[in-house]
Amino acid sequence: MTWMITGGAGYIGAHVARAMAGAGERVVVLDDISAGVPARLPADIPLIRGSSLDGELLRRLFAEHGVTGVVHLAARKQVGESVEQPLRYYRENVGGLVTLLEAVADAGIKRFVFSSSAAVYGNPPDVDLVSEDTPCVPINPYGETKLAGEWLVRAAGRAHGIATVCLRYFNVAGSASPELADTGVYNVIPMVFDRLTRDEAPRIFGDDHPTPDGTCVRDYIHVADLADAHLAAARRVQAHPEGDLTVNIGRGDGVSVRELVTLIGEVSGDHRPALVEPRREGDAPRAVADAGLAAKELGFTARRGVREMVESAWEGWCLHHPEARRA
């Protein structure tokens, strides 16, 4: 097997590329470097700069590298940006996937792993755990493109005999090493780090939700565990070269925003109290994965806890923001 990983120089993608290569898989990365960082990849993993929207490039690379499977992570992924630029999100996330699947089908590639998201569920109903059978009602263009992507992947798989797995990530955090850390300020942990670095208090949006401490409860998964889930999915389609599978990737354990902010204070040494602001429209009180199907079908169970996520994320943040580490 030779795997092409699209978006493989990104925060998640580089972890996936390293995990798969470390497990003995042959890997080649395609990334347009719009969000990727070439230095995240070791020198022995080939990096081709280009887009999944370029069908001619894809066909050439599939032939040149003898690609037999694809892990597709390349996508735009910011919810707010997707609301402002829906046409761009549909063009890149859905249009790019159409082009990629056409090239995959033409090349006779029979294994495909798709990076989806818990955003497909939208604002899930008031349930203890969100299962794969929970209705998918996305509430923003980003989530819509991920759900449409799942439909495309499964339909193309059935039509062209491609074994597929769609992975619905919950909240990804942490880093396998400081240099691989997330450099964006879009998710709650780096957003709190950013506030502390600017000598500002963390913010909590709403403390009157129907949860034990009134703040939203979420499921966080370490990015290194997520990389292991991709490896498990790749091994699944190697062993079962037919059919489709869609699974949640999470820990099945909820952490409230207030608990997370307290933990960040312990790790960073900055214990200032959070500012409580009004709820944000569309925030679900609780969104925690039912992780049972991934354990059953992929043999995958997350191993790393939230403290390890925060500690590793803080080390990475301080590497990129030396001013953050105070005496």
Side-chain angles (χ1 to χ4, degrees):
M1 290 289 298
T2 296
W3 291 92
M4 173 175 283
I5 303 176
T6 70
Y11 162 56
I12 296 174
H15 281 87
V16 173
R18 285 172 173 259
M20 293 184 66
E25 301 288 345
R26 289 184 294 177
V27 169
V28 57
V29 165
L30 175 70
D31 200 302
D32 66 5
I33 311 301
S34 60
V37 178
R40 286 177 171 143
L41 294 171
D44 58 348
I45 295 181
L47 168 62
I48 297 93
R49 300 193 183 202
S51 169
S52 57
L53 287 159
D54 189 340
E56 182 178 341
L57 173 64
L58 291 169
R59 289 171 173 81
R60 185 172 76 248
L61 293 178
F62 289 163
E64 289 178 356
H65 292 274
V67 173
T68 50
V70 172
V71 178
H72 182 48
L73 294 105
R76 303 204 66 81
K77 62 177 185 177
Q78 303 309 322
V79 168
E81 184 182 63
S82 79
V83 174
E84 297 169 356
Q85 302 178 44
L87 296 177
R88 182 182 189 186
Y89 269 66
Y90 272 86
R91 179 177 64 251
E92 296 193 23
N93 290 7
V94 180
L97 180 57
V98 170
T99 301
L100 176 60
L101 287 168
E102 287 175 338
V104 164
D106 288 348
I109 294 169
K110 298 300 183 184
R111 296 165 180 86
F112 196 95
V113 177
F114 177 60
S115 163
S116 188
S117 168
V120 300
Y121 296 116
N123 191 340
D126 185 15
V127 294
D128 187 45
L129 297 175
V130 177
S131 76
E132 291 81 1
D133 294 328
T134 298
C136 291
V137 188
I139 58 174
N140 53 65
Y142 167 67
E144 292 167 1
T145 64
K146 284 301 182 180
L147 183 56
E150 290 187 8
W151 295 339
L152 278 169
V153 167
R154 289 191 285 266
R158 289 190 295 269
H160 299 282
I162 303 167
T164 67
V165 175
C166 297
L167 302 177
R168 292 175 175 169
Y169 315 164
F170 278 66
N171 299 270
V172 185
S175 181
S177 58
E179 66 273 13
L180 296 181
D182 188 1
T183 56
V185 187
Y186 305 110
N187 300 315
V188 61
I189 291 175
M191 287 173 69
V192 174
F193 291 166
D194 182 58
R195 297 277 296 183
L196 297 179
T197 301
R198 291 188 283 113
D199 201 26
E200 297 175 359
R203 293 186 296 178
I204 292 175
F205 295 99
D207 63 353
D208 56 350
H209 293 276
T211 60
D213 67 13
T215 67
C216 292
V217 174
R218 295 290 182 265
D219 191 334
Y220 297 90
I221 183 165
H222 197 295
V223 66
D225 280 329
L226 180 60
D228 290 341
H230 284 80
L231 175 61
R235 295 280 167 82
R236 158 83 183 210
V237 293
Q238 286 179 9
H240 303 280
E242 59 184 17
D244 61 77
L245 176 67
T246 300
V247 295
N248 291 333
I249 302 298
R251 295 172 57 247
D253 185 24
V255 177
S256 77
V257 174
R258 190 174 294 281
E259 289 172 331
L260 186 66
V261 169
T262 299
L263 179 55
I264 291 172
E266 293 174 4
V267 170
S268 67
D270 190 326
H271 298 278
R272 74 185 73 195
L275 298 175
V276 177
E277 300 189 1
R279 294 188 192 186
R280 296 179 299 189
E281 184 178 356
D283 272 349
R286 178 180 173 87
V288 179
D290 182 339
L293 190 61
K296 176 183 177 182
E297 297 290 343
L298 299 180
F300 167 77
T301 302
R303 297 183 292 111
R304 299 163 179 89
V306 177
R307 178 173 287 274
E308 186 173 349
M309 297 180 213
V310 172
E311 289 175 344
S312 61
W314 180 243
E315 287 299 313
W317 179 267
C318 291
L319 175 67
H320 296 286
H321 304 83
E323 72 278 14
R325 192 178 291 280
R326 301 195 253 300

